[in-house]
Amino acid sequence: MSSTPTLATCDLCDAHKNDGSGGFRVLPPVLRDFGAVRRFSGPVATVKCFEDNTPVKAAVESPGEGRVLVVDGGASLRRALLGGNLGAAAARNGWAGVVIDGCVRDVAELAVCNVGIRALASMPLPTERRNEGLRDLAVQIQGVWVRPGDWLYADEDGVVVSDRALVG
């Protein structure tokens, strides 16, 4: 988890509601909370994959260093990109959170992982590992651009992304 307390997304939206630069973005309210950590924030690392969680596995098994992994899963509801083992790996390796435009599985296991996890839904089917996918590129999450190095802030009210770290 990030070393600084997570700023409230409502306060951030109030402060940046007139920001026309495109540097401050709000994700649509379609992501559900699956991890034990409800509020999280950190610099963004990205993965783009479709129904193949190979790059997600590689990312969460590497040092997270307080970052948030943002996964463009193409909004697929057909396969889970993160399950209990990978959720535990993300927590163990110091990821602040994982935000997935796609599905997760092993919901009871994810609920006790000490990491923030947001996704569209749960789906018990695992992915087929084909070693496909890309890391560290600009991705779209529900139509909102998220880039490596952006900052993501998540809490009970939603998820916002900024092109820089924000202060309270």
Side-chain angles (χ1 to χ4, degrees):
M1 179 124 168
S2 63
S3 58
T4 57
T6 297
L7 303 171
T9 59
C10 288
D11 293 342
L12 292 173
C13 286
D14 289 348
H16 297 275
K17 64 185 173 196
N18 296 320
D19 181 343
S21 72
F24 182 83
R25 285 116 38 221
V26 180
L27 296 185
V30 295
L31 298 171
R32 291 178 44 200
D33 211 343
F34 291 96
V37 177
R38 300 288 182 250
R39 293 175 166 238
F40 59 94
S41 64
V44 168
T46 62
V47 163
K48 182 173 183 163
C49 56
F50 187 74
E51 298 181 1
D52 177 356
N53 72 347
T54 305
V56 175
K57 182 179 190 301
V60 299
E61 289 178 346
S62 69
E65 301 168 336
R67 293 175 296 164
V68 177
L69 181 64
V70 176
V71 180
D72 177 352
S76 173
L77 299 176
R78 301 186 316 185
R79 301 283 178 158
L81 294 175
L82 183 90
N85 291 335
L86 297 186
R92 183 174 58 251
N93 291 315
W95 289 88
V98 181
V99 174
I100 302 173
D101 192 12
C103 292
V104 296
R105 60 187 255 157
D106 303 320
V107 172
E109 293 175 38
L110 294 178
V112 297
C113 290
N114 193 26
V115 64
I117 300 170
R118 301 285 172 92
L120 294 175
S122 61
M123 161 52 76
L125 275 174
T127 66
E128 295 294 329
R129 292 218 173 112
R130 300 177 307 271
N131 292 318
E132 295 177 0
L134 301 168
R135 287 180 67 172
D136 303 320
L137 71 161
V139 296
Q140 276 196 316
I141 305 300
Q142 295 291 305
V144 177
W145 283 103
V146 181
R147 295 168 182 83
D150 281 349
W151 276 73
L152 184 142
Y153 301 85
D155 65 13
E156 300 84 351
D157 288 305
V159 180
V160 301
V161 179
S162 175
D163 61 0
R164 63 190 185 285
L166 301 174
V167 295

